[in-house]
Amino acid sequence: MATMSEKPIMLVGIDDSEQSFYALEWAIDHFFTPFAPNFPFKLHLIHSKPTPVTAIGFAGPGGSEILPYVDTDLKKIAARVIEKAKELCHSKSVDDVTVEVVEGDARNVLCEAVEKHHASILVVGSHGYGAIKRAVLGSVSDYCAHHAHCSVMIVKRPKVKH
């Protein structure tokens, strides 16, 4: 019989997008709920908080004055994301969940978290960007799929038919 600490770790990257919450809910519905209370994974959520400079995209003249306000907003967003994620987990009876906020680029934060926690699987949502936006922004899910040293599950929301 494996102890709690021997369970493989499922890392879920969360941000303030509907896609990331869909991915979290999908992971819980498929990997936790059917196995309650003997979950096969230890759930660890990670939110990467952008630095104020990357959030505003530049720090030109006068930029430094607004950085503290931007940082406050980013902290509020992070707190909201964490709260919403915990509520979602709790509503599905997954209370043994660890949550972490790390400042930095989501791609690096997620790949480094995989290493740090020896995660067995990384779950990320797909924003469904078009080719141009993806080329400019760089896809977090693509990056993680190529660089994370574990299995990566990219959860896509079904297209809504009108």
Side-chain angles (χ1 to χ4, degrees), residues 20 30 49 57 67 69 86 96-97 108 117 128 147 151 160:
S20 90
H30 288 80
K49 182 175 91 62
L67 290 180
Y69 300 104
K86 283 181 176 172
D96 183 22
V97 58
N108 301 329
H117 299 289
H147 295 91
S151 296
V160 181

Side-chain angles (χ1 to χ4, degrees), residues 20-56:
S20 90
F21 281 93
Y22 179 83
L24 173 58
E25 188 167 11
W26 191 94
I28 291 171
D29 288 346
H30 288 80
F31 292 95
F32 291 83
T33 306
F35 304 98
N38 302 311
F39 304 130
F41 291 97
K42 170 81 177 84
L43 185 59
H44 190 93
L45 310 181
I46 188 147
H47 172 68
S48 66
K49 182 175 91 62
T51 63
V53 174
T54 56
I56 58 172

Side-chain angles (χ1 to χ4, degrees), residues 71-151:
D71 195 45
T72 300
D73 281 350
L74 293 170
K75 284 184 174 128
K76 283 182 189 160
I77 292 167
R80 216 169 33 236
V81 168
I82 296 307
E83 199 51 46
K84 188 175 166 189
K86 283 181 176 172
E87 282 170 15
L88 176 61
C89 292
H90 181 69
S91 73
K92 294 182 175 281
S93 303
V94 180
D95 291 310
D96 183 22
V97 58
T98 313
V99 185
E100 190 179 0
V101 176
V102 178
E103 191 168 82
D105 181 281
R107 290 169 282 230
N108 301 329
V109 165
L110 293 173
C111 289
E112 285 163 16
V114 164
E115 296 293 308
K116 177 180 160 191
H117 299 289
H118 307 292
S120 298
I121 187 164
L122 170 64
V123 178
V124 288
S126 171
H127 284 103
Y129 292 143
I132 293 170
K133 198 167 184 187
R134 192 168 51 244
V136 174
L137 294 176
S139 163
V140 171
S141 53
D142 283 356
Y143 184 90
C144 291
H146 289 96
H147 295 91
H149 295 289
C150 70
S151 296

Side-chain angles (χ1 to χ4, degrees), residues 1-15:
M1 184 80 179
T3 63
M4 290 298 278
S5 61
E6 290 173 22
K7 280 188 180 179
I9 290 179
M10 175 182 283
L11 200 63
V12 181
I14 54 169
D15 60 22

